[in-house]
Amino acid sequence: MASVETAASAAASTSEAASASEAATLQDGIYLQPGPLPKELRLAVLDFAPGTGTVAAGAAVGAIYALLGELREGVVRELAATRPDEPDVEIDPGTFDFLLGYGASFFDPERGLTAAARPDLLTPLAHPRGPFASLRWAPGVPARSGEGDLCLQLTGRDSHAVGRALVEIWKLIADERLPLTIRESFDGFARDDGRSWIGFHDGVSNIRPSQRLAAVRCTGDPDWNRGGTYLAFLRCAVDLPAWRELTREEQEVLVGRDKLSGCALERVDTVDGRLVPRPFAGCPATATATPEELDVFRDPPETGDPILESSHIHRSNQNRSEPTTAAGHRIFRQGYEYLEPMTATAPGLGLNFVSFQSSLEHVRQILGLSSWLGGVNFGGRTPGSGAAGPEPIEIVDLRAGGFFVVPPRARPFPGAELFGTFDTSPRHA
Amino acid sequence: MSAPGALEEWNGSAAAWEARVTETLGALDLPEQLKQATKGNATELRIPDWPAVPARARARFGRREADRMCDERAADGDDVGRTSLQDEYAEWRVVRDECGRAVRFELTTELADYWELLARYAPARAIDVVGEFAGVPVGRSAVFGAHNPFGATSTEDSRANAFCAEMLGRDRDGNGLGRRPGQYNNGAKAITCLARKDNSLAALAKLVAAAAAAPQLVVDPESGEARFPSGSEAIPTLWEESAKDGRNSDPVVVERIVRLATEGRTIRFDDPAGVHIVDVQLDELTDPGGAPLPREWCKLGRHGPPLPDGLARAQRLELEVPADAGFRLGEVRSRRTGTAIVHGAQIAELVQLAVYVRCGPRDAIAVDVPLRRLAA
């Protein structure tokens, strides 16, 4: 079956083949191989109707999964021939990938959707105090925004590909009277300049491809998710006007990078009371450097400078460890920017933070520990700590968010065994 | 050098601790990175940090079962869960009511080596502090067993021997005595200091020294690029029994120290050497109604006055819901799991520990760095 181009990369070496074999248990839509992400994201959350039984629920998920499988092969049910002598109309195959996850509410025993126990750290984010120590809900966000019994991550080469998939699901739900509601969906796009809305490079020090599988793949607990993963979705709004009030130097110290080249800072000097960022010596100028040359300087080494440690790129990865080191709390990020329709006020924009990790503990720790991102909203010194560093800034809040367990591939669909009614052997499709 | 936690519990505590650390390190075949390190040439701070909850137990038994096992006590009250599973340089006990519900959580990172010195040089203080931990004054036998630390024949060595036998269940060389720690360090009446041999100063010193003695780069099996090894990749190359893979603590310490050693830096323990509590995510705990717990319910102790560097140096955590609050610790809810507190591990996972390390600039020491090809 064809897939979006960035997802497919033939494994050449033995080790690559072994990794590919392990990676094969992961659902599509997790892009461990080097290369750009598919251009478009649409992440939908769905709820089962109250009173839906486990058999009906499983059948509904199976029907949606089958529909998406057909659609990815180019089959649009509505365009099947219905008159003599006319051919079926097919569309381009492999224009999108889809990934199915289950949210905390799916495991609520009172819902009766599954007999399986909720994975321990798969908890709702909808807490009135905010989901995380320094990352809070934006005012007026509806309850459970971003959470659902199910999530579908659709990623594809263009907005039509992912949009069509979601609309086809809507049609199926309506036509088949499936006990499901598409409650919300969130769109986003990948930027090919590697930058975020605040103008800085983002994701350039993500985990190297050879290490991604270790960061992503769940090794058990619960056993039914062995070979699967966990998805964290956080739709983070950015207060661009507040960010733009800072000077370039102030921004660079908070981020920990040079704004233009993306090079990590080696140190921060104090000159006339100002903090002056100093990128690593030898970091090539943007105009002449190749991306490979710049990459060397973008992954920052560990530092003992408390000002640098207070920057965003260090707070999000203080130990700078490999993914197999549990206390490194490494996660594989796969974010997509978003821009809401413009109004007369400031643009509504931000990042659909999407990460995959072997345990949700790592996200909790990154966003909970005070010397990591639990102490501040974005970067800067932890208030009240007495530590060095610039004043922290609050520029990010949450518009939606949810945690989901993403079971491994299985027939007829990932997580089918949760419904207890399907033959799941052979285990992996 | 100061005593762990920057404590000043008797005259000469700093000198005694420095001598103990020096002696412990001196027993090892130290690499140049440690030998040449001084307060003058190794000043940059590094903070490998890790959660206090045992990662190996959770990986082996699954989260729920491991959490239960970590608190397990034998029929005779022996804390078998602690001695067999709590291996992250943190050990805890959970005090429970008659129904088995948690009412109090106590966690320590205090190294037994320090306590042996306290017993040796300040026995009265040791007895007082154990009484503070137990919540009631205790007699000398709580700390010294049958030995009278104030008797005419008592010596520094005999007090140290008696302390180790009573509180650790082993002699000063770490040899088992066929008995378990006494009830003021086995959780029955108190938990005083780390009791496991792999949660000791000797273990920590060996861990850091072994990592510093193993500068290396590895060839990534997929990309073919040279890079620093992960903790898991480096541990098999270290001295025997110097590090355990799968812990939260050892791999992150090894990974970071190997990196510093490979860069040719001098490396030393920060002053004071010890394992310190650097963070407690109390926001993750709520009362039964969802309100945050008052911070004063969580007491961080066993530290002295703050040092000029401002670093956190607590070595003990006590969490208890006051009697007039209308509920008990067992009704406190963990936001992380959405469940009530049943096991100590649910709190330990919110406690972050660190060992402070100081290092010098790159290339201060000439290092022969082997390039190791990893098996596919």
Side-chain angles (χ1 to χ4, degrees), chain A residues 48 68 93 181 228 231 250 294 315 324 354 377 411 413 415:
Chain A
F48 288 102
L68 290 171
T181 303
L231 183 159
E250 289 170 333
L294 281 166
R315 279 183 172 277
T324 50
V354 175
N377 176 257
R411 292 185 189 278
F413 58 87

Side-chain angles (χ1 to χ4, degrees), chain A residues 15 19 118 120-121 123 129-130 208 210-211 221 302-304 319-322 325 365 368-370, chain B residues 45-46 49 62-64 220-222 227 230 248 252 255-256 259 279 281 283 286 292 335-337 352:
Chain A
S15 61
S19 292
R118 171 178 60 80
D120 288 328
L121 300 178
T123 47
R129 285 170 53 207
R208 66 171 63 84
S210 65
Q211 300 287 300
D221 196 13
E302 62 180 270
T303 178
N319 273 324
R320 312 219 68 80
S321 296
E322 297 291 337
T325 301
Q365 291 288 90
L369 291 168
S370 62
Chain B
L45 181 65
R46 295 290 188 272
D49 63 344
R63 182 187 171 91
R64 292 184 191 186
D220 189 282
E222 292 193 27
R227 59 169 171 80
S230 68
N248 276 323
V252 74
E255 186 167 333
R256 296 194 66 172
R259 205 181 300 162
D279 201 355
Q281 296 177 62
D283 283 344
T286 70
R335 294 181 59 192
R336 193 162 291 200
T337 57
Q352 194 78 353

Side-chain angles (χ1 to χ4, degrees), chain A residues 34 59 129 162 311 321 330 375 379 384:
Chain A
R129 285 170 53 207
V162 295
S311 67
S321 296
R330 300 305 306 273

